[in-house]
Amino acid sequence: MLKLPIYLDNNATTPMDPRVLEAMIPYFTEHFGNAASRNHPFGWEAEEAVDYAREQVAKLIGADPKEIIFTSGATEGDNLAIKGVFEMYASKGNHIITAVTEHKAVLDTCKHIEKAGGEVTYLSVQEDGLIDLKELEAAIKPTTVLIAIMYANNEIGVIQPVKEISAIAKKHGVLFFTDATQAVGKIPVDVIKDGIDLLTFSGHKMYGPKGVGALYVRRKNPRVKVTAQMDGGGHERGMRSGTLNVPGIVGFGKACELCRIEMEEDTKRISQLRDKLENSLMQLEEAYVNGNKEHRLPHVANISFKYVEGEGLMMGFNKNIALSSGSACTSASLEPSYVLKALGLGDDLAHSSLRFGLSRFTTEEQIDYTIKAISETVLKLREMSPLWEMYKEGIDLNSIEWAHH
Amino acid sequence: MAYSEKVIDHYSNPKNVGTLDKASKTVGTGLVGAPECGDVMRLQIEVDETTGIIKDAKFKTFGCGSAIASSSLATEWLKGKSVDEAVKIDNMDIVEELNLPPVKIHCSVLAEDAIKAAINDYRKKNGLEELVFEERIH
């Protein structure tokens, strides 16, 4: 029996894998020690658990355990990487390059950098969401200290050419930081092969707990350092003070291990379901996939259904299906998705978009239900849409003088 | 955000969805909003020439659930009213009836604008002076 509601908003957060929870439980009550307590068994147990998790985390991304800094999540990692590099390498320069489709945690951190006297270049993206490598290289100046480009986008799932970016960074002696929150655990990420200097990701996007993440900071070729953004006991090699979240870290480690072992199988199954969903919905007239379809996460689809509005669309099924829309009405800002707008989509298409994020726990039955519910709602709302009627009558919507309000 | 029962009801069972003949002299059409803003409403009234009573009203709306509900409710209220009475429909009445939250008040404003635009279209077609409404800040 199909259980409702169906969860297809896995780019926002994933459910935790029960095996992760199982690993965490003893570390709340039984092994509750502080990993920094060096003088008794409670502390030793906690430290041992953290060390083990650090290995599990490092292994997933091809890093050395010593290169893993535990954080509270990807937002903290973004802040620590960007502000930390900006401060640490101030004598070298003050220029950072990023892209307009980055997560707010990166963009707002860059805004902060600008206020602090730094200079930031925001690269635009092409229609498919990919950055232009030539533009990237042209933006590098003698004062550039960091390139901050995400691994894969949270709204459209588009995967940036990370290897090529890192090669350009290396050629010019610039550090490369990537927010890999949506990518790690879903596709193979390897800091050595990919040439990454700093990388952040988070537990709760990959079936682990919320409130824990990691920042990878390269130790060799080159040795990278970041200035700590919190003062305190000098934990995590002095880069991130604060008592370690031992149960969270244990769970995060377990989640990384499961992803490493099961990623290939999971991806095969999930991408088939995603393709089924996407291909079926694309049978509807005037439906458009947003972002590059080839360089894309296997579990993500972002589709615009022209002439229906995203929030109105979701209302047709949101009791039973959980997902996100790029519509303004679903955001606090009343602005449609800045990511979709950066692809050159008109506001109308941005308003009409739905984002699907599948997971390890998504079933074919759920996808079949979703296809049916969304198709029916789109058809119903189009019957109700004056824009659809005009489109069907062959009226060019751009020829109408709309009263903007 | 949770929707009120009444919004959900209008969304699920919208009243008076459809199209009237916009070329007809007895039909007034109001098209307001913009696709870029995420809502467009088209509201139409059909006026009985002898009585001046709105005998039919139809809408089509591109927008969120609250926009659909506001226009559905507006058509219900319009039917059976005289044109002069219809002018007096205030957006805050719609807000109250549907329990719209503050972020959705613009949906009710749009519905009021659509009513006024439809009435003016009808007046224009029938050689009457268009009514001037206070400019409001949306």
Side-chain angles (χ1 to χ4, degrees), chain A residues 6 8 273-274 276-277 358 362-372:
Chain A
I6 295 163
L8 289 179
L273 290 180
R274 191 273 310 269
K276 180 178 188 183
L277 174 72
L358 283 64
T362 306
T363 65
E364 180 147 23
E365 203 185 10
Q366 292 176 332
I367 291 300
D368 290 340
Y369 179 93
T370 302
I371 293 166
K372 188 164 174 282

Side-chain angles (χ1 to χ4, degrees), chain A residues 321-363:
Chain A
I321 306 168
L323 37 78
S324 284
S325 167
S327 158
C329 289
T330 58
S331 71
S333 66
L334 290 179
E335 279 291 320
S337 154
Y338 67 93
V339 172
L340 295 178
K341 287 187 75 175
L343 306 189
L345 251 69
D347 278 6
D348 53 338
L349 272 178
H351 279 297
S352 303
S353 71
L354 294 182
R355 176 185 75 178
F356 304 87
L358 283 64
S359 84
R360 177 185 287 170
F361 304 106
T362 306
T363 65

Side-chain angles (χ1 to χ4, degrees), chain A residues 167-179:
Chain A
I168 291 171
K170 210 168 190 65
K171 185 174 145 195
H172 294 273
V174 174
L175 294 176
F176 173 40
F177 160 63
T178 189
D179 179 336

Side-chain angles (χ1 to χ4, degrees), chain B residues 64-106:
Chain B
C64 65
S66 304
I68 290 170
S70 295
S71 35
S72 168
L73 176 66
T75 53
E76 279 210 292
W77 279 355
L78 284 168
K79 283 208 272 187
K81 278 199 171 64
S82 71
V83 175
D84 293 340
E85 284 169 340
V87 176
K88 292 182 195 139
I89 293 176
D90 187 81
N91 81 291
M92 286 316 287
D93 299 337
I94 297 174
V95 170
E96 229 163 85
E97 174 68 18
L98 295 176
N99 284 321
L100 297 181
V103 293
K104 294 295 180 190
I105 288 178
H106 73 274

Side-chain angles (χ1 to χ4, degrees), chain A residues 92-114:
Chain A
K92 188 179 174 260
N94 69 343
H95 180 229
I96 291 173
I97 300 169
T98 186
V100 291
T101 50
E102 290 293 310
H103 192 272
K104 285 286 179 197
V106 167
L107 292 176
D108 286 356
T109 303
C110 285
K111 290 262 157 13
H112 177 95
I113 294 288
E114 286 180 291

Side-chain angles (χ1 to χ4, degrees), chain A residues 42 92 187 194 203 208 261 308 311:
Chain A
F42 295 90
K92 188 179 174 260
I187 55 170
D194 292 337
I261 296 167
V308 293
E311 189 192 344

Side-chain angles (χ1 to χ4, degrees), chain B residues 104-115:
Chain B
K104 294 295 180 190
I105 288 178
H106 73 274
C107 297
S108 70
V109 173
L110 209 58
E112 187 189 316
D113 287 352
I115 293 171

